[in-house]
Amino acid sequence: MSKKRISNEVFQQLLIPSTATLTSALKQLGLSRSFIHGVAPLRPNMKMAGPAFTLRYIPAREDLNAGEVDNMKDVQRIAIEEIGVGEVFVIDARGDTRAGTMGDILATRLFKRGAAGVVTDGAFRDSPAIAEIGIPAFAAAMNAHSNKTVHHPSEIQVPIACGEVAVLPGDIIVGDAEGVVAIPIRLAEEAAQIAVEMEMREKFILKKIQSGASIVGSYPPDESTLAEYKVWKNNNKEG
Amino acid sequence: MSKKRISNEVFQQLLIPSTATLTSALKQLGLSRSFIHGVAPLRPNMKMAGPAFTLRYIPAREDLNAGEVDNMKDVQRIAIEEIGVGEVFVIDARGDTRAGTMGDILATRLFKRGAAGVVTDGAFRDSPAIAEIGIPAFAAAMNAHSNKTVHHPSEIQVPIACGEVAVLPGDIIVGDAEGVVAIPIRLAEEAAQIAVEMEMREKFILKKIQSGASIVGSYPPDESTLAEYKVWKNNNKEG
Amino acid sequence: MSKKRISNEVFQQLLIPSTATLTSALKQLGLSRSFIHGVAPLRPNMKMAGPAFTLRYIPAREDLNAGEVDNMKDVQRIAIEEIGVGEVFVIDARGDTRAGTMGDILATRLFKRGAAGVVTDGAFRDSPAIAEIGIPAFAAAMNAHSNKTVHHPSEIQVPIACGEVAVLPGDIIVGDAEGVVAIPIRLAEEAAQIAVEMEMREKFILKKIQSGASIVGSYPPDESTLAEYKVWKNNNKEG
Amino acid sequence: MSKKRISNEVFQQLLIPSTATLTSALKQLGLSRSFIHGVAPLRPNMKMAGPAFTLRYIPAREDLNAGEVDNMKDVQRIAIEEIGVGEVFVIDARGDTRAGTMGDILATRLFKRGAAGVVTDGAFRDSPAIAEIGIPAFAAAMNAHSNKTVHHPSEIQVPIACGEVAVLPGDIIVGDAEGVVAIPIRLAEEAAQIAVEMEMREKFILKKIQSGASIVGSYPPDESTLAEYKVWKNNNKEG
Amino acid sequence: MSKKRISNEVFQQLLIPSTATLTSALKQLGLSRSFIHGVAPLRPNMKMAGPAFTLRYIPAREDLNAGEVDNMKDVQRIAIEEIGVGEVFVIDARGDTRAGTMGDILATRLFKRGAAGVVTDGAFRDSPAIAEIGIPAFAAAMNAHSNKTVHHPSEIQVPIACGEVAVLPGDIIVGDAEGVVAIPIRLAEEAAQIAVEMEMREKFILKKIQSGASIVGSYPPDESTLAEYKVWKNNNKEG
Amino acid sequence: MSKKRISNEVFQQLLIPSTATLTSALKQLGLSRSFIHGVAPLRPNMKMAGPAFTLRYIPAREDLNAGEVDNMKDVQRIAIEEIGVGEVFVIDARGDTRAGTMGDILATRLFKRGAAGVVTDGAFRDSPAIAEIGIPAFAAAMNAHSNKTVHHPSEIQVPIACGEVAVLPGDIIVGDAEGVVAIPIRLAEEAAQIAVEMEMREKFILKKIQSGASIVGSYPPDESTLAEYKVWKNNNKEG
């Protein structure tokens, strides 16, 4: 896992385009599977970006889950007290929604520790309360059962599957009202640049379409549209 | 595909009853599968009615999807510039939600061309933006991936499957907060008449139930209730 | 089916904790599957608690469903006129959402008869209207098709499966914004007591976490935290 | 549940046509859903016909399943000692294959009691041993877990769902290498007659197709083919 | 649809390698989705290769399926009398196995007309009989219901989805005991050549592994192994 | 991961009872989920027992899978050259069968290295060839696509999920014609003893049932049956 770091400027850039534009930028960079499938925001209006801190669940087994939770041994609990400021907690729950993977107390602790968000391809429990915390949170479902009914926390900071997408520790996780995209750290800066430019161009194209233009010539833009766009972009910058 | 036409009056009638009442009218006319399964509105408050303009996707294959989109050859793009005023764009995505089937620029173009709505049994990308356009839009999910990650546009204006229901070009597509029903063009007028009458009768029955009546005698209505209903209906008309 | 009765006080207690806390209380009492899977509230802000009145559907078959509905013979209709004040109507639809299991007229009748709520692991039809009635209602989906397109009402007041959970007539059904939990009648009082206490303790722990405390020592609480909690609890009571 | 009885002659007739032909006969009689979905024979060479003796499972719950099995109270066990000679044991396991619904000892007991077969839309455990008993057995899967891991036997001799099809106690259950069809008792005699005739006609048509005939004129047969068939049929009888 | 033709020699070559090797050859040529998902042979010992003749089903609707089958109008029937010698009948049934998509009479007719095989991502009815015809046949399931219970034949010789893979008319369809691969006509010759060579090389590697060699150096082969292979291949040819 | 070792005698014992009996023994020891769901043997007649050597796949991503396979870096390849004699290779493929997880060359290498078997909750490619190798092999499906089409090998010898069951490195994996059970190493000896005894007792009970005994008194056995069993068991031993 390269621990390459991303500058604050890049994080700011990653918050500008939509996750849709970011997946297009990643496709241009050769990645076809980056958007986490089947996960929706509890609070659609909150955007999120940060490096992934990963947790992997395996199926529960009675000999692994015995006794009361021990914060020193339970891998999920350790993870929660280790996550860094600005990181996004990403959970591999094998898409199994028959139990929650986190409740409001742990989610609040993540929030207080400065985590940038939390994503699970399983369910949350206390979902209504989690929606109120103020942390961007994304899940596949709501389920009141506590995690160990179905899951056992097994590893942290290893590559995981989340919503049928590979997520490596340190991957940049970006979320918006549509869902969550995982960006390989090495591609993050380039993806940000491409996406910011793409977003601006698509904003211009959208304006043309809103004014009644056909997609022919506009989307994808032909040379004339690209020339118009350059002018518009320069004017916009000046403004 | 009979290109029988529906009068404006019939379209107005089709907007009165709920999709639930329309499926009941169709059942009375012999159809048991008319409601598109698993599709929800992005904007529950917008009603929609119009003839289907269909697009069928097949699975993506690298040799089919190579190069940049060409508006003259890409079947989806052609469809978007061909759809008529008042028509509803209906997409057969085989229920596969691992990529979007349309984004906000194309959906905006549909809106500007006067399309009455857009329905997909796959996902939208840019879903939050599509919800703001002003066009009634229905989908099974949100997914930021662009369509060709998973899909290839193959044919337009052929019979399709959408949400496990047959949709033929020209079928009348009606949508409300519950979802979308597909009405064979030949049955549309009769279905509208039955549904408007049924809706009124059920409105009356609902009032009775709200006043404390038992369903026995009221729903289905016995002769006495039907007599009451006639009076009420006449009074209502006169008012 | 023990017809043990629950006091009003216990019902009041059951409305205090979240369904998440109730499933934890039940887990403490030995039950691992009590939360109904895949069911969401139409109106997240309404809480619900009451004994289950159960209806079981089997798949539709033309010879069983022939003719118009007869309120004297149709098992669902009989159920609706038999349900008691404060009871919750719980439907086993085998998780099949290709048709509704109830519409707004029947749901309104349930409401008028004093039912405390309605839960289905299938779909509702007229969902938007049902959301407005004022009765807590939970379903897996919306589908405009009438029930007999897919379902046939077969039995009432027998043990059923709902959302992969056993529900017996008389089980106490509690719902909130997260979903629905089924509590065996014999465990209801004890579960209520445990959950109310657990909810208070978790409320205290949450406050600590919100103030910046680590989960270590707080969740689960060590002796020192438990001592603090006792003081806080006593103060709260006095307040 | 009409307890109309079927003569031995009808049972013998029901064993002549394939389950495919029987579903066609039932379709002619108005039934569109009679073939149990997703169930395969452990021994494809054994045919089976007999009245359904039904068992319905609900999801397991710890308070229902406690303690050792009591043959006097456990509903499945009671069923096994009550089933009549020639009856088919049909299990509604909600399609859940995460545990067996019967093992080899109980299946052997069914065989010894003279049961004509056993069908489950869940799994068997001891499947390889069950395949050797000599009783026709049909299941959706193999799973070694004992039934109460996932299931609780709840009722016998009530209408059930099996493989998404309604099965009523007494329905005639016919199985072959393709799977299992459920025939309403009232339609059994007529279905048998139609199917025997249909099977003979299709045998004749198949011979024509094997000799190189086009389906045009043969399938469905035109008047000339029907005339040929009559001759062939009479000759066959005489032979 | 390019109607490029494939020589008999290429067809012979396509029958040499396994479908596994062919998918690897196609991957080398840039295709990642060519193996039809979820389809198994009724007769694992029969190999098959031929150009695709496609049929597309849409969901059944009562107004489309009324009356007796008319061989002049029913699209499936027309297809069966139009398919050419050596072609493979490929059916898009949307993966819906709740009814058959073909029975033994039609499959026999395909066989008599010289079709090279039949593939469906739905079910066959009369599966046991189809297995005896002598035509390679692949399906996702067995189901006795006749096709129009669930399906309506809509188009022939158009691009389809089969087992989540695109199949175009004329694509070369190859089947063996593992399943079915669809090869774009333009890539067929090249794929055949690559696969034949790959199969020979892997045969050699397999022999080495069977003799106790490590995969290191052998698989993928290093220069020394490749040199050994050349010698072996030349010797084999001479033999 | 305790590296406790199991004696050869215990392995021999584990091969005596069926996987069904072993899951019952584990249930007695407190485990409710030990049988791997949805996995079938390619060769039903081969039994298998050995410690798990685990491999975990994550979803493929183009930047992880670039270039030719390097046996020194590819985690799956490393695993295959590291597995010990008598160990069982167990693959976590997230249940995704859209590509193979191993082909015949690697499976042959496992066999030559003395591996006791191979289990995947995904698919094999070259399945027909793998069935001939002589190594017990269990999979959820067949799929000709090479693993990296869908999967990326991520870790070895970590706890995994396989068929919705937790498998830890060193867990004893036992397979037969019904499927595969995972036994925690610490429970293996005790489970073996319980299961061998249970198997013998059930063999005796089965004989009684075969002789016409009711399950009442026999299964579960009452005191009289247990006494008979003791005698039989002693006689059998002497024999």
Side-chain angles (χ1 to χ4, degrees):
Chain A
M1 247 62 60
S2 85
K3 282 291 173 193
K4 202 193 152 192
R5 300 200 50 99
I6 293 281
S7 66
N8 272 340
E9 199 193 351
V10 172
F11 276 115
Q12 291 317 308
Q13 280 186 305
L14 286 166
L15 289 166
I16 298 170
S18 67
T19 55
T21 303
L22 284 166
T23 64
S24 293
L26 288 169
K27 197 165 189 197
Q28 211 167 291
L29 294 170
L31 295 199
S32 62
R33 291 173 74 187
S34 55
F35 189 77
I36 294 177
H37 187 251
V39 157
L42 272 66
R43 287 271 293 274
N45 300 330
M46 302 188 76
K47 291 206 74 168
M48 162 186 91
F53 186 106
T54 65
L55 168 68
R56 186 165 75 87
Y57 277 115
I58 58 171
R61 202 168 76 180
E62 288 84 348
D63 62 330
L64 302 174
N65 289 336
E68 193 171 282
V69 174
D70 180 341
N71 282 314
M72 298 300 125
K73 291 184 185 163
D74 181 293
V75 163
Q76 183 187 31
R77 298 304 178 90
I78 290 168
I80 280 166
E81 291 295 335
E82 275 190 11
I83 194 171
V85 171
E87 291 186 320
V88 176
F89 203 74
V90 187
I91 301 172
D92 174 347
R94 307 175 315 287
D96 192 333
T97 60
R98 291 172 301 154
T101 57
M102 184 173 291
D104 64 341
I105 294 178
L106 297 185
T108 300
R109 181 58 182 153
L110 285 179
F111 180 58
K112 295 303 291 186
R113 283 187 60 81
V118 54
V119 182
T120 179
D121 68 358
F124 287 127
R125 66 193 302 249
D126 304 318
S127 311
I130 290 177
E132 299 305 318
I133 291 172
I135 191 169
F138 300 77
M142 308 186 287
N143 194 301
H145 283 298
S146 55
N147 58 352
K148 296 199 178 166
T149 314
V150 167
H151 300 297
H152 176 76
S154 185
E155 287 183 286
I156 54 176
Q157 293 292 58
V158 294
I160 60 173
C162 186
E164 298 170 40
V165 162
V167 178
L168 274 58
D171 279 356
I172 306 306
I173 307 301
V174 181
D176 65 8
E178 187 147 85
V180 179
V181 59
I183 305 172
I185 180 82
R186 287 187 219 173
L187 302 178
E189 189 167 345
E190 202 177 349
Q193 284 164 0
I194 293 171
V196 165
E197 167 63 24
M198 200 184 277
E199 188 91 355
M200 187 164 294
R201 199 170 61 231
E202 299 211 340
K203 194 177 158 190
F204 172 77
I205 292 170
L206 187 58
K207 274 177 194 297
K208 284 203 67 157
I209 300 296
Q210 285 167 337
S211 313
S214 164
I215 53 172
V216 181
S218 312
Y219 184 62
D222 59 13
E223 289 193 18
S224 143
T225 299
L226 283 175
E228 278 182 65
Y229 167 57
K230 255 186 199 163
V231 174
W232 175 84
K233 191 178 158 189
N234 284 330
N235 291 347
N236 255 37
K237 269 188 190 159
E238 285 156 9
Chain B
M1 245 66 56
S2 84
K3 284 288 174 195
K4 202 193 151 192
R5 301 199 50 100
I6 294 282
S7 67
N8 272 340
E9 197 193 351
V10 172
F11 276 115
Q12 291 316 310
Q13 279 186 305
L14 286 166
L15 289 166
I16 298 169
S18 66
T19 55
T21 304
L22 284 166
T23 64
S24 293
L26 287 169
K27 198 167 186 195
Q28 213 167 289
L29 295 170
L31 295 200
S32 63
R33 293 171 75 188
S34 55
F35 189 76
I36 294 178
H37 187 251
V39 157
L42 271 66
R43 287 270 294 274
N45 300 332
M46 302 186 76
K47 292 206 76 168
M48 166 186 88
F53 187 106
T54 65
L55 167 68
R56 186 166 73 88
Y57 277 116
I58 59 170
R61 202 168 75 180
E62 287 84 350
D63 62 329
L64 303 175
N65 289 335
E68 194 171 278
V69 173
D70 180 340
N71 282 315
M72 296 302 124
K73 291 184 185 166
D74 183 293
V75 164
Q76 184 186 30
R77 297 305 178 89
I78 291 168
I80 281 166
E81 291 296 336
E82 276 190 11
I83 195 171
V85 171
E87 291 186 320
V88 176
F89 202 75
V90 187
I91 301 173
D92 173 346
R94 309 173 316 286
D96 192 332
T97 61
R98 290 172 301 155
T101 56
M102 184 174 289
D104 63 342
I105 293 178
L106 297 186
T108 300
R109 180 60 182 152
L110 286 178
F111 181 57
K112 294 303 290 186
R113 282 186 61 80
V118 53
V119 181
T120 177
D121 68 358
F124 286 129
R125 68 192 303 250
D126 304 317
S127 313
I130 291 176
E132 299 306 318
I133 292 172
I135 189 169
F138 300 78
M142 307 186 287
N143 195 299
H145 282 300
S146 54
N147 59 352
K148 296 198 178 165
T149 313
V150 167
H151 301 296
H152 175 76
S154 185
E155 286 184 285
I156 54 178
Q157 293 291 60
V158 293
I160 60 172
C162 187
E164 299 170 39
V165 162
V167 178
L168 273 58
D171 279 356
I172 307 306
I173 307 301
V174 181
D176 65 8
E178 188 147 84
V180 179
V181 60
I183 305 171
I185 180 80
R186 286 186 221 174
L187 304 177
E189 189 166 345
E190 201 176 351
Q193 283 164 0
I194 293 171
V196 165
E197 168 63 25
M198 200 184 277
E199 188 91 355
M200 186 164 296
R201 198 170 62 231
E202 298 212 341
K203 193 177 160 191
F204 172 76
I205 291 170
L206 187 58
K207 275 178 195 294
K208 284 203 67 157
I209 300 296
Q210 283 167 339
S211 314
S214 164
I215 55 173
V216 181
S218 311
Y219 184 62
D222 58 12
E223 290 193 18
S224 141
T225 299
L226 283 174
E228 279 181 65
Y229 167 58
K230 258 187 198 161
V231 175
W232 175 85
K233 190 178 155 190
N234 285 329
N235 290 346
N236 255 35
K237 270 188 192 160
E238 286 153 9
Chain C
M1 246 65 58
S2 86
K3 284 289 174 193
K4 201 191 152 193
R5 300 201 50 99
I6 294 282
S7 68
N8 273 340
E9 198 193 352
V10 172
F11 275 115
Q12 291 316 309
Q13 279 186 304
L14 286 167
L15 288 167
I16 298 169
S18 67
T19 55
T21 303
L22 284 165
T23 65
S24 293
L26 288 169
K27 199 166 186 195
Q28 212 168 289
L29 295 170
L31 295 201
S32 62
R33 292 173 76 187
S34 55
F35 188 77
I36 293 177
H37 187 252
V39 158
L42 270 66
R43 286 272 294 274
N45 300 331
M46 302 188 75
K47 292 206 74 168
M48 164 188 88
F53 187 105
T54 64
L55 167 68
R56 185 166 75 86
Y57 278 115
I58 59 170
R61 203 168 74 181
E62 287 84 348
D63 62 328
L64 303 175
N65 288 335
E68 193 171 281
V69 174
D70 179 340
N71 282 314
M72 295 304 125
K73 292 185 184 164
D74 182 292
V75 164
Q76 183 188 30
R77 298 304 179 89
I78 291 168
I80 280 165
E81 291 295 336
E82 274 190 12
I83 195 171
V85 170
E87 291 186 320
V88 175
F89 202 75
V90 187
I91 301 171
D92 174 347
R94 308 173 318 284
D96 193 332
T97 60
R98 291 172 300 156
T101 57
M102 183 173 290
D104 63 342
I105 293 179
L106 297 185
T108 300
R109 180 59 182 154
L110 286 179
F111 180 58
K112 295 303 290 186
R113 282 188 60 80
V118 54
V119 182
T120 177
D121 68 357
F124 285 128
R125 68 193 300 250
D126 305 317
S127 312
I130 291 176
E132 298 306 318
I133 292 172
I135 190 170
F138 300 77
M142 307 186 287
N143 194 300
H145 283 299
S146 55
N147 60 352
K148 296 197 178 168
T149 314
V150 168
H151 301 297
H152 175 76
S154 184
E155 286 183 286
I156 56 177
Q157 292 294 58
V158 293
I160 60 171
C162 187
E164 300 169 39
V165 161
V167 177
L168 275 57
D171 280 355
I172 306 306
I173 307 300
V174 181
D176 65 8
E178 188 147 86
V180 179
V181 60
I183 305 171
I185 180 82
R186 288 186 219 173
L187 302 177
E189 187 166 349
E190 202 176 348
Q193 284 164 0
I194 293 171
V196 165
E197 168 63 25
M198 199 184 277
E199 187 92 354
M200 185 165 294
R201 199 171 61 232
E202 298 212 341
K203 194 177 159 191
F204 172 76
I205 291 170
L206 187 59
K207 275 178 193 294
K208 284 204 65 157
I209 299 296
Q210 283 167 338
S211 314
S214 164
I215 56 173
V216 181
S218 312
Y219 184 60
D222 59 14
E223 290 193 17
S224 143
T225 299
L226 283 174
E228 278 181 67
Y229 166 59
K230 256 187 198 162
V231 175
W232 175 85
K233 189 178 156 189
N234 285 331
N235 290 347
N236 256 35
K237 270 187 189 159
E238 284 154 11
Chain D
M1 247 65 59
S2 86
K3 284 290 174 193
K4 201 194 154 190
R5 300 201 50 99
I6 294 282
S7 67
N8 272 339
E9 199 193 353
V10 172
F11 276 115
Q12 290 317 309
Q13 281 187 302
L14 286 167
L15 288 166
I16 297 169
S18 66
T19 54
T21 303
L22 284 166
T23 62
S24 293
L26 288 168
K27 198 165 186 196
Q28 213 167 288
L29 295 170
L31 295 200
S32 61
R33 293 172 75 187
S34 55
F35 188 76
I36 294 177
H37 188 253
V39 158
L42 271 66
R43 287 270 295 274
N45 301 330
M46 303 188 75
K47 291 207 74 169
M48 164 186 91
F53 187 105
T54 65
L55 168 68
R56 187 166 74 87
Y57 278 116
I58 58 169
R61 202 168 75 180
E62 288 83 350
D63 61 330
L64 303 175
N65 288 335
E68 193 170 280
V69 173
D70 180 340
N71 281 315
M72 297 302 125
K73 291 185 185 164
D74 182 294
V75 164
Q76 183 187 29
R77 298 303 179 90
I78 291 167
I80 280 165
E81 292 295 337
E82 275 190 12
I83 194 170
V85 171
E87 290 186 320
V88 177
F89 202 75
V90 187
I91 301 173
D92 174 348
R94 308 175 315 286
D96 193 333
T97 61
R98 290 173 301 155
T101 57
M102 183 173 292
D104 63 343
I105 294 178
L106 297 185
T108 300
R109 182 59 182 153
L110 286 180
F111 180 58
K112 295 303 290 184
R113 284 187 58 83
V118 53
V119 182
T120 177
D121 67 358
F124 286 127
R125 68 193 300 250
D126 305 316
S127 314
I130 291 175
E132 299 305 318
I133 292 171
I135 189 170
F138 299 77
M142 308 185 286
N143 194 300
H145 284 299
S146 55
N147 59 351
K148 297 200 177 164
T149 314
V150 167
H151 301 297
H152 175 77
S154 184
E155 286 182 286
I156 55 177
Q157 292 293 58
V158 293
I160 61 172
C162 187
E164 299 170 40
V165 162
V167 178
L168 273 58
D171 279 355
I172 306 306
I173 307 300
V174 181
D176 65 9
E178 187 148 87
V180 180
V181 60
I183 304 171
I185 181 78
R186 286 186 220 176
L187 303 177
E189 189 167 345
E190 202 177 351
Q193 284 164 359
I194 294 171
V196 166
E197 168 63 23
M198 200 185 277
E199 188 90 355
M200 185 165 295
R201 200 172 58 232
E202 299 212 339
K203 196 178 158 189
F204 172 77
I205 292 170
L206 187 58
K207 274 178 196 293
K208 284 203 67 158
I209 300 294
Q210 283 166 339
S211 314
S214 164
I215 54 174
V216 181
S218 312
Y219 185 63
D222 58 13
E223 289 194 15
S224 144
T225 299
L226 283 174
E228 279 180 65
Y229 167 59
K230 256 186 198 162
V231 175
W232 176 86
K233 191 178 155 189
N234 285 330
N235 290 347
N236 255 35
K237 270 187 188 159
E238 285 154 10
Chain E
M1 247 64 58
S2 87
K3 281 290 173 193
K4 203 192 152 191
R5 301 201 50 100
I6 294 282
S7 67
N8 273 340
E9 199 194 350
V10 172
F11 276 116
Q12 291 316 309
Q13 279 187 305
L14 286 167
L15 288 166
I16 298 169
S18 66
T19 54
T21 303
L22 284 166
T23 63
S24 293
L26 288 169
K27 198 166 187 196
Q28 212 167 288
L29 295 170
L31 295 201
S32 62
R33 294 173 73 186
S34 55
F35 189 77
I36 293 177
H37 188 252
V39 158
L42 270 67
R43 285 273 292 277
N45 301 331
M46 302 189 76
K47 291 206 74 167
M48 165 186 88
F53 187 106
T54 65
L55 168 68
R56 186 165 76 85
Y57 278 116
I58 58 169
R61 202 168 75 181
E62 288 82 351
D63 61 329
L64 303 175
N65 289 335
E68 195 171 279
V69 173
D70 180 340
N71 282 314
M72 297 302 125
K73 290 186 187 163
D74 182 294
V75 164
Q76 184 189 30
R77 298 303 179 89
I78 290 168
I80 279 166
E81 291 295 336
E82 275 190 11
I83 195 169
V85 172
E87 291 186 320
V88 177
F89 202 75
V90 187
I91 301 172
D92 173 348
R94 307 173 318 285
D96 192 332
T97 62
R98 290 173 301 155
T101 56
M102 183 174 291
D104 64 343
I105 294 178
L106 297 185
T108 300
R109 180 60 183 153
L110 285 179
F111 180 57
K112 295 303 288 184
R113 283 187 58 81
V118 53
V119 182
T120 176
D121 68 357
F124 285 129
R125 67 194 300 252
D126 305 317
S127 312
I130 290 176
E132 299 306 318
I133 293 172
I135 190 169
F138 299 79
M142 306 184 288
N143 195 299
H145 283 300
S146 55
N147 59 352
K148 297 200 178 165
T149 315
V150 167
H151 301 297
H152 175 75
S154 184
E155 286 183 286
I156 55 176
Q157 293 292 60
V158 294
I160 60 172
C162 186
E164 298 170 42
V165 161
V167 178
L168 274 56
D171 279 356
I172 306 307
I173 307 301
V174 181
D176 65 8
E178 187 146 86
V180 180
V181 60
I183 305 172
I185 181 80
R186 286 186 220 175
L187 301 178
E189 189 166 346
E190 201 176 351
Q193 284 165 0
I194 293 172
V196 167
E197 167 63 25
M198 201 184 275
E199 188 91 353
M200 186 165 295
R201 200 170 61 230
E202 298 212 341
K203 194 178 159 190
F204 172 76
I205 292 170
L206 188 58
K207 275 179 194 293
K208 284 203 67 157
I209 300 295
Q210 282 167 340
S211 313
S214 164
I215 54 172
V216 181
S218 312
Y219 186 60
D222 58 13
E223 290 192 16
S224 143
T225 298
L226 282 175
E228 278 181 66
Y229 166 58
K230 258 185 198 164
V231 175
W232 175 86
K233 190 179 156 190
N234 285 330
N235 291 346
N236 255 37
K237 270 186 190 161
E238 285 152 13
Chain F
M1 247 66 54
S2 89
K3 282 290 172 191
K4 202 191 153 193
R5 299 202 50 98
I6 294 282
S7 68
N8 272 340
E9 200 193 350
V10 172
F11 276 115
Q12 291 315 308
Q13 281 187 304
L14 286 167
L15 288 166
I16 298 168
S18 67
T19 55
T21 304
L22 284 166
T23 64
S24 293
L26 288 169
K27 197 166 188 195
Q28 213 168 290
L29 294 170
L31 295 201
S32 61
R33 292 172 75 187
S34 55
F35 188 77
I36 293 178
H37 188 253
V39 158
L42 271 65
R43 286 272 294 274
N45 300 332
M46 304 188 74
K47 292 207 72 169
M48 166 187 87
F53 187 105
T54 64
L55 168 68
R56 186 165 75 86
Y57 278 116
I58 58 170
R61 202 168 75 181
E62 287 84 349
D63 62 330
L64 303 175
N65 288 337
E68 194 171 277
V69 173
D70 180 341
N71 281 314
M72 297 301 124
K73 290 185 185 163
D74 182 293
V75 163
Q76 185 189 28
R77 298 303 179 88
I78 291 168
I80 279 166
E81 290 296 335
E82 275 190 12
I83 195 172
V85 171
E87 292 186 320
V88 176
F89 203 75
V90 187
I91 300 173
D92 173 348
R94 306 174 317 285
D96 192 333
T97 61
R98 291 172 300 155
T101 58
M102 183 173 292
D104 64 343
I105 294 178
L106 297 185
T108 299
R109 181 58 184 156
L110 285 179
F111 181 56
K112 295 303 289 184
R113 283 188 59 82
V118 53
V119 182
T120 178
D121 67 358
F124 286 128
R125 67 193 301 249
D126 304 317
S127 313
I130 290 177
E132 298 307 318
I133 292 172
I135 190 169
F138 300 77
M142 307 185 287
N143 194 298
H145 283 299
S146 55
N147 60 353
K148 297 198 178 167
T149 314
V150 168
H151 300 299
H152 175 76
S154 184
E155 287 184 284
I156 55 177
Q157 293 292 60
V158 294
I160 60 172
C162 187
E164 298 170 40
V165 161
V167 178
L168 275 56
D171 279 356
I172 306 306
I173 307 302
V174 181
D176 65 8
E178 187 147 85
V180 180
V181 60
I183 306 172
I185 181 81
R186 287 186 219 176
L187 302 177
E189 189 167 345
E190 202 175 351
Q193 285 165 358
I194 293 171
V196 166
E197 169 63 24
M198 200 183 276
E199 187 90 355
M200 186 166 294
R201 199 171 60 231
E202 298 212 340
K203 194 178 157 189
F204 171 78
I205 292 170
L206 187 58
K207 276 178 193 295
K208 285 204 65 157
I209 300 296
Q210 283 167 338
S211 312
S214 164
I215 55 171
V216 180
S218 312
Y219 184 61
D222 60 14
E223 289 194 16
S224 144
T225 298
L226 283 174
E228 277 181 67
Y229 166 58
K230 257 187 199 161
V231 175
W232 175 86
K233 188 178 157 189
N234 285 331
N235 290 348
N236 254 36
K237 268 186 190 161
E238 285 154 10

